[in-house]
Amino acid sequence: MIQTWVLGDGGQSFVLASFHDRLPQVVYWGPAIDDDADTIAAAMALDVGGGMLDAIPDLSICPEASQGFAGQPGLLIAKADGTPFDPRFTLAGVQADHDHVAFTYTDADHGLTYEAFFTFDPETRMITARATIEAETPVRVQYLAAPVLPAPQLADEMIDYAGGWINEFQPNRVPWTAGIRMRDNRTGRTGHEHYPAVLLPERGATHTQGNAYAIHYGWSGGHRMIAEELPDGRRQVQFGHAMGTQLVASTRFETGPLYAVFSDTGLNGCAVAFQRHLRDRIIKWPDADRPRPVHYNCWEAIYFDHDMETLKSIADSAAKLGAERFVLDDGWFGKRDDDTTSLGDWDVDSRKYPDGLGPLVDHIHGLGMRFGIWFEPEMVNPDSDLYRAHPDWALGRADQTLGRYQMVLDMSKVEVRDYLFDKIAAVLTDIDVDYIKWDHNRVLPVADAAQAQGYYALLERLRGAFPDTEIESCSSGGGRMDFGALSYTHRVWLSDCIDPVERLRQQAEAAQFLPLVVTGSHVGAHESHTTGRQIDIHMRAWVASQRHMGFEMDPRFISDEDAAVLTRVTTWWKENRHWREKADILRLDTADAAVIAEQQVAIDGTRFVVYAGHLEASKQNLPRPLRLTGLDPSAMYRVSLLNIDERPPQSRGDIPLAKGPIEVSGQFLMHHGLSLPWSFPQTMWVIEGERI
C-alpha cells in the first residue's frame, strides 16, 4: 500500500510517500512535474543485490535502526535511566492540504508519538519542516533530526561553512564520498565555525545556472549536520540540535525549523528564496514600511573611553555625513573601563554620565537621529556586583576557563531571565531607545540546548514589552546569524572586521541566506582596526553601501575629501534604498578570479545595480567581460557606470561605458557582458541599469 503527498508549485515539486504505513520518505524533490505521485513512488523502487538485506530499508524522514537501516538513524533515544532503545513507528494520522502536511506516528510499545510537519510557501518557494517527540513517561533524547532529506545523486560536492572571529563565512567544498561528513557544533551558539547550512549543487551548477539545493537549520544553540552516502549509494542530509545537548529527561522534544529549497537557476535561485523568506516571513518588523536608517556605531571611535562632550561632537559629525541612528556601544554601565569587569551590572555609570544618558539621547534626537544602545545580557564578569551576589547564576564550574574575562549566565533559570528583563526594561523605559545591539562574546562552557531556549524566551518577553525597539544579533560579530535568532531580531552584525576587502567576500557568501535589510555593513577607519590594511575611502564606502549601510570610525578626523566621498555614497544609498531593500542579491559568475561581483535586481525587474570588486591583481592585462544575470533577454537596458570619476589614469581606452550610458539588450548583458575600465586592486566599480 502506497500513500503519497505533494507540495510545490511551478518551480519545484516535493513528493512524500509512505509504504505500508511506515514513516514517509521523500521520493522526489526537484523541478516541477505533473506525474501521478503514486506512480513516482512506485518508480523509485530499488533492486536488491548480493550481500544485501532482502528488502531495502527506507531512507525515511527519520531513518529507523529498528527497520534495519544501517546508516545514521534520525533518533537516538533512551529511557530515563539511560537504557537505549530503538523505536518503530506506525502511521496514526495525516492532515494535509495543498501547502501543508502533518504526520503523526506512534510506537505503542514504548509510549512514543513522533510528529513531522512540512509547509510550502508558494511566494518564497521555501519548504519548512520540523519534528517532535512526545513520550508517556520521561525519556532522554541524545539526538533528534529534523525531517531528513535526500541529497542529489548528481552532486559531486557539498558546500558548508567554517570560519572564526573576523573571518566569517568561509565556504568548504567537500567531495561526496562513501561515509559521513559530520559537523557537530558544541559551542552552544550558532558559531562562526559552523554556520548551520549546506548547499548541494548538481554537476555543472554555478551561481547563475544549473540545479542546486540548499538547507538551513534555524536554531541558535549549536547543531549537528550529517551528510551521508550509504553503501548502496543513497544519500541523506540530517540537521538537528548538537549531539547530547538536551541534558534533562522530558516528555517532549522538538527540533528547530529546517528550511530547504530547490533551484533550477543555480545557487542564486536558492539565495533569492532564503533572502525573501527571511525578510518577508521570519523577521517581525516594528514598522515594515520604515526605511532602514543609516547607522552610526561609536565602538571603533572611542572603545571604553566614554565622555559626554566627545560623544556629542562625534554625533554632530556623524549626522553631517548622513547618519540617521546613533548606537552607544560597550562601556556605558557599571565600572566598565575595559572588558574585565561589570558585565551584568546594567546600571548607567555615574562617573561617565553623572546626569544619566538623557542628555546624550536628547542631543542625538535633536540632530534628527534615533538612539540605540549595546547590551551583552547573557554574560557576567566575575568582577561584577551581580556575580558577587549570585555566583550560582553562572553556567558551568566556578574554576572554568574564562572567555574574554567573562562567564555565561544560566539562561534556563527563570530568576536570571527576570533579572535581565528588569534591568533592560529599566533602561528602555528611562530613555527613548530605538535599537539594541545584543552581543554574545564567548562560547558556552557547557553545551546545553536550554541556554538557547532561555535566550529565545527573554527576547520574546522583551519584544512583547517593547515592540517598537529593533534588536541586532551580534556574537563577536557573526557568531549568531541563524534564522532562529532572526525570528526575534532584525539585523545581524556580520563580522567585527570592517576591512572592505574581507567584507566584500563575507557579504557575498552571506547573501546566500541574508538580504540587504538585515546585514549591517559599516565604513571603518582608513587603517582597519582588525587587519591593519589601509584602504581608500571609495572602496570602504561602496562596500558598506552593498548592505545596511553605516559608519564605525571617528567622523571628526576624516579629511574634507573623504567626507565628500562618504556623503555622496551615503546620499546615493538613501536615494535608492526604497527599491534596494526589496531587491534580490544575485552573485555573478566572474571569468576573472580576482573579481567578486553581485547584481541587486529590483523586485519588479525594472532596475538593477552591479558591484564589481577587484580584490587583487588580475592574471590578464585587461578586465574580462562581466556577465550579468536575471534580466529579460528581449528587453533593452540603459546601463551606466556610476563612479566613472574614480577611473585611474592608467585606464586609457575609448570604451563606451566610460563615456556615458549605453543601451544594450538583456541577452547581450547576460551572454557577453560588460566591458569595464581597467582598475587597481582593492577598488570597486558600481554599475546602474534600467529597463527601457
Side-chain angles (χ1 to χ4, degrees):
M1 181 182 68
I2 301 175
Q3 298 179 73
T4 55
W5 303 268
V6 180
L7 299 174
D9 61 2
Q12 67 178 324
S13 292
F14 186 85
V15 183
L16 293 145
S18 171
F19 298 85
H20 305 292
D21 289 340
R22 299 193 300 268
L23 284 168
Q25 54 188 305
V26 180
V27 295
Y28 179 87
W29 182 25
I33 54 174
D34 295 324
D35 301 51
D36 175 73
D38 288 357
T39 302
I40 291 172
M44 59 80 64
L46 299 173
D47 197 3
V48 176
M52 302 175 68
L53 297 177
D54 294 340
I56 305 294
D58 295 340
L59 201 171
S60 72
I61 60 173
C62 186
E64 298 169 286
S66 61
Q67 298 279 7
F69 186 78
Q72 173 63 42
L75 174 63
L76 297 175
I77 192 169
K79 297 177 181 179
D81 64 4
T83 304
F85 63 93
D86 293 324
R88 186 168 187 149
F89 292 106
T90 302
L91 182 64
V94 182
Q95 293 181 324
D97 58 31
H98 179 66
D99 296 327
H100 175 80
V101 59
F103 298 100
T104 300
Y105 279 76
T106 58
D107 178 347
D109 292 340
H110 296 102
L112 294 181
T113 299
Y114 170 86
E115 291 186 296
F117 307 87
F118 294 84
T119 301
F120 176 74
D121 190 311
E123 294 185 17
T124 66
R125 300 182 53 249
M126 186 64 65
I127 297 164
T128 304
R130 61 185 176 89
T132 66
I133 285 285
E134 292 190 355
E136 294 175 358
T137 58
V139 294
R140 295 184 178 273
V141 168
Q142 286 291 306
Y143 172 69
L144 171 62
V148 175
L149 302 177
Q153 291 287 304
L154 205 58
D156 295 320
E157 64 180 9
M158 66 191 85
I159 304 171
D160 59 20
Y161 296 91
W165 178 68
I166 72 170
N167 195 25
E168 288 85 347
F169 269 101
Q170 295 283 347
N172 295 310
R173 292 181 173 267
V174 181
W176 276 98
T177 59
I180 288 177
R181 162 73 169 171
M182 184 173 75
R183 307 290 301 270
D184 203 17
N185 169 20
R186 299 181 56 78
T187 65
R189 63 179 180 180
T190 316
H192 308 74
E193 311 86 353
H194 307 275
Y195 191 71
V198 67
L199 309 178
L200 304 167
E202 289 193 348
R203 189 175 302 157
T206 68
H207 291 290
T208 64
Q209 60 187 2
N211 291 341
Y213 301 76
I215 305 170
H216 168 65
Y217 189 55
W219 167 248
S220 307
H223 75 282
R224 191 186 205 208
M225 182 200 85
I226 291 171
E228 181 178 23
E229 182 170 303
L230 301 168
D232 57 32
R234 291 179 296 170
R235 294 169 171 176
Q236 64 163 332
V237 175
Q238 296 186 10
F239 277 93
H241 293 5
M243 182 77 166
T245 56
Q246 299 183 92
L247 305 180
V248 179
S250 180
T251 57
R252 180 177 170 81
F253 297 86
E254 183 174 2
T255 71
L258 188 75
Y259 301 97
V261 68
F262 163 79
S263 161
D264 60 2
T265 55
L267 293 172
N268 281 340
C270 299
V272 167
F274 277 103
Q275 291 167 24
R276 293 182 180 183
H277 196 78
L278 176 61
R279 182 191 65 219
D280 300 338
R281 297 291 187 269
I282 293 177
I283 293 183
K284 304 172 184 69
W285 302 101
D287 182 355
D289 296 326
R290 186 173 72 191
R292 308 303 290 146
V294 176
H295 202 89
Y296 177 76
N297 185 290
C298 69
W299 175 243
E300 290 198 2
I302 63 167
Y303 292 102
F304 297 102
D305 189 14
H306 287 224
D307 172 76
M308 178 68 75
E309 295 308 313
T310 297
L311 286 165
K312 287 181 178 179
S313 178
I314 288 173
D316 293 342
S317 298
K320 289 178 183 178
L321 292 170
E324 298 166 307
R325 175 191 282 148
F326 184 102
V327 177
L328 186 68
D329 212 288
D330 194 356
W332 58 268
F333 56 93
K335 295 180 175 61
R336 183 78 164 171
D337 297 327
D338 56 35
D339 57 3
T340 67
T341 181
S342 298
L343 281 179
D345 299 341
W346 299 110
D347 298 302
V348 176
D349 185 347
S350 59
R351 302 171 305 156
K352 299 175 183 178
Y353 300 96
D355 298 316
L357 294 173
L360 176 62
V361 175
D362 291 343
H363 183 81
I364 288 166
H365 287 163
L367 294 169
M369 289 194 288
R370 297 173 179 271
F371 178 76
I373 194 167
W374 182 94
F375 286 95
E376 191 172 4
E378 297 152 271
M379 302 294 161
V380 64
N381 289 119
D383 183 10
S384 67
D385 293 340
L386 176 63
Y387 184 77
R388 284 184 282 271
H390 297 285
D392 56 310
W393 284 8
L395 189 68
R397 295 168 56 96
D399 60 351
Q400 66 185 263
T401 301
L402 302 183
R404 203 180 182 231
Y405 310 106
Q406 63 197 49
M407 303 171 80
V408 182
L409 291 172
D410 186 347
M411 297 295 289
S412 71
K413 294 180 179 291
V414 174
E415 59 269 33
V416 170
R417 299 199 300 270
D418 287 346
Y419 169 85
L420 293 173
F421 176 85
D422 290 343
K423 286 294 186 181
I424 297 170
V427 175
L428 301 189
T429 302
D430 184 54
I431 55 176
D432 184 6
V433 177
D434 168 71
Y435 187 87
I436 293 172
K437 180 180 178 181
W438 186 298
D439 215 339
H440 181 286
N441 276 313
R442 64 155 291 175
V443 300
L444 269 60
V446 178
D448 186 351
Q451 192 73 9
Q453 291 161 348
Y455 159 68
Y456 290 160
L458 177 58
L459 280 173
E460 186 170 16
R461 186 177 175 189
L462 284 165
R463 289 292 310 280
F466 302 94
D468 295 328
T469 301
E470 292 188 14
I471 302 175
E472 173 184 294
S473 178
C474 175
S475 183
S476 301
R480 191 151 65 182
M481 297 184 292
D482 62 277
F483 284 20
L486 282 161
S487 299
Y488 302 94
T489 59
H490 310 90
R491 188 182 196 252
V492 298
W493 185 227
L494 185 61
S495 177
D496 282 344
C497 181
I498 49 178
D499 177 327
V501 172
E502 301 299 323
R503 269 301 184 112
L504 181 66
R505 181 202 58 77
Q506 292 170 348
Q507 289 172 184
E509 297 295 344
Q512 191 65 50
F513 305 96
L514 305 177
L516 178 152
V517 288
V518 307
T519 309
S521 187
H522 296 175
V523 180
H526 175 63
E527 181 174 307
S528 169
H529 289 204
T530 52
T531 67
R533 189 183 281 129
Q534 296 184 354
I535 304 291
D536 180 81
I537 185 62
H538 297 89
M539 184 68 166
R540 285 182 280 144
W542 286 124
V543 169
S545 78
Q546 287 184 291
R547 300 294 185 265
H548 183 191
M549 188 176 185
F551 320 141
E552 190 161 343
M553 68 330 217
D554 194 329
R556 299 173 298 168
F557 301 125
I558 67 173
S559 68
D560 291 343
E561 293 81 4
D562 283 6
V565 172
L566 182 51
T567 302
R568 172 186 166 226
V569 175
T570 303
T571 300
W572 174 84
W573 190 88
K574 291 179 180 179
E575 290 172 346
N576 288 274
R577 63 183 161 189
H578 66 283
W579 69 267
R580 291 181 61 220
E581 288 177 354
K582 289 283 189 179
D584 298 326
I585 303 172
L586 307 176
R587 185 89 172 261
L588 297 180
D589 296 327
T590 55
D592 186 345
V595 174
I596 292 179
E598 72 178 31
Q599 181 179 338
Q600 298 179 8
V601 182
I603 199 76
D604 62 1
T606 58
R607 59 195 306 180
F608 61 83
V609 61
V610 172
Y611 290 89
H614 198 172
L615 289 185
E616 57 191 22
S618 299
K619 293 182 178 179
Q620 73 285 345
N621 290 337
L622 295 175
R624 299 185 189 275
L626 181 65
R627 288 188 178 186
L628 307 191
T629 191
L631 303 178
D632 181 348
S634 62
M636 296 295 291
Y637 293 85
R638 182 177 294 109
V639 181
S640 58
L641 194 55
L642 177 61
N643 58 336
I644 187 57
D645 59 306
E646 298 170 26
R647 186 183 187 190
Q650 291 86 345
S651 172
R652 300 176 292 125
D654 188 27
I655 65 172
L657 196 59
K659 295 186 292 184
I662 62 173
E663 296 183 1
V664 288
S665 69
Q667 185 83 311
F668 175 84
L669 291 170
M670 292 190 293
H671 293 280
H672 178 273
L674 290 169
S675 295
L676 297 173
W678 185 91
S679 61
F680 288 115
Q682 299 178 6
T683 58
M684 177 86 81
W685 289 124
V686 184
I687 301 107
E688 291 184 301
E690 182 179 8
R691 189 167 65 199
I692 301 172

